[in-house]
Amino acid sequence: MTSIFAELTQLPRPTSEISSAGESWAVNQAPTAKGEKKPTDNSLWAMFRPAVSLGDGRHTPQNVSLTSFLLGIGLGVGFLWTWSALCAVVIPEETKPGFSQALLRLGPFLLFLSQFHYLEYLITSLYNPKALGFDTFTFTMDANYIYLKMMSIILIEFLVEAYFVPEIKMGRWNWLAGLTLMITGQAIRTLAMATTQRNFNHYVATEKDPDHVLVTHGIYR
């Protein structure tokens, strides 16, 4: 028993500890041979360096949490922006349209874009978790940055039109019609994913999966 206790007392200390003089931190310092000095990283980054990488495209809880957090910000900002746009709809039509008023119409785009990406992951996790991956958010960047290019073109087109011809963005009824179509489209897609459940994923199949069945109920009736 005494020999076991002696061996335990000679085990290396935890990897992160402060020196007796309180001068510096030893971060992830491995035990070294007697008399050998191992350099320590005393930088501020070393003290707070995370154990995993963020934003590397891997399907990790950290990346999912960060992405959901950013989409939540987009949802909140988009909702407030959309509410301001709805209030602006009641402006009399004789009011001269301007760039700032036309810019309010961008709010629903941010709102429904954030909602779409979030619901893609959420609904898949609820009804088909085996097909879940980080690309389930559906905006994973590919080698050609197609998604980023597409969104950039959409934004540039909107800003150019809002600046030079803001009146085309100020139509009351066509704006409300577009808002209704976005709500209806998102509701139909979410209902379809919930109905197909394990028979739906985000990949194009070239061969029939043995577990795949034809859905003929619900919205597909």
Side-chain angles (χ1 to χ4, degrees):
M1 187 70 181
T2 305
S3 61
I4 296 177
F5 178 77
E7 292 178 0
L8 290 175
T9 56
Q10 294 176 1
L11 291 176
R13 293 185 178 183
T15 56
S16 297
E17 63 179 9
I18 192 168
S19 64
S20 58
E23 296 175 352
S24 62
W25 288 91
V27 181
N28 295 329
Q29 183 177 2
T32 57
K34 186 176 181 180
E36 180 184 353
K37 292 184 178 181
K38 185 176 180 64
T40 58
D41 189 351
N42 300 323
S43 64
L44 184 63
W45 167 245
M47 295 174 59
F48 298 99
R49 180 165 44 207
V52 295
S53 300
L54 291 175
D56 56 2
R58 294 184 301 162
H59 190 218
T60 62
Q62 294 80 8
N63 283 330
V64 172
S65 299
L66 177 62
T67 304
S68 301
F69 173 73
L70 295 176
L71 289 176
I73 293 178
L75 279 167
V77 174
F79 176 80
L80 295 176
W81 205 338
T82 302
W83 180 258
S84 300
L86 285 172
C87 294
V89 168
V90 300
I91 297 177
E93 294 184 359
E94 60 269 13
T95 302
K96 185 178 180 180
F99 177 73
S100 59
Q101 294 178 354
L103 198 61
L104 289 175
R105 271 56 177 178
L106 194 60
F109 175 76
L110 177 61
L111 172 64
F112 285 97
L113 182 67
S114 301
Q115 175 186 266
F116 169 78
H117 289 300
Y118 179 75
L119 286 179
E120 290 298 294
Y121 190 92
L122 176 62
I123 300 302
T124 303
S125 67
L126 292 175
Y127 295 101
N128 192 12
K130 290 185 178 180
L132 200 62
F134 187 73
D135 53 355
T136 307
F137 282 110
T138 69
F139 53 41
T140 303
M141 299 299 181
D142 59 5
N144 297 319
Y145 298 98
I146 295 178
Y147 180 88
L148 184 60
K149 293 176 181 178
M150 178 184 66
M151 289 300 164
S152 299
I153 292 174
I154 292 174
L155 183 59
I156 292 174
E157 177 191 7
F158 179 90
L159 294 176
V160 169
E161 292 178 348
Y163 184 81
F164 290 102
V165 281
E167 57 273 7
I168 68 174
K169 302 294 184 183
M170 300 300 295
R172 178 178 303 177
W173 297 110
N174 60 352
W175 186 83
L176 291 175
L179 189 64
T180 303
L181 286 174
M182 285 193 292
I183 296 174
T184 305
Q186 181 62 67
I188 292 175
R189 178 171 178 82
T190 302
L191 181 60
M193 292 175 63
T195 302
T196 54
Q197 298 188 6
R198 289 181 297 177
N199 297 294
F200 172 85
N201 58 55
H202 293 88
Y203 304 99
V204 178
T206 57
E207 297 180 359
K208 185 181 183 301
D209 191 300
D211 297 329
H212 185 274
V213 296
L214 180 63
V215 178
T216 58
H217 63 276
I219 195 173
Y220 292 99
R221 183 178 303 175

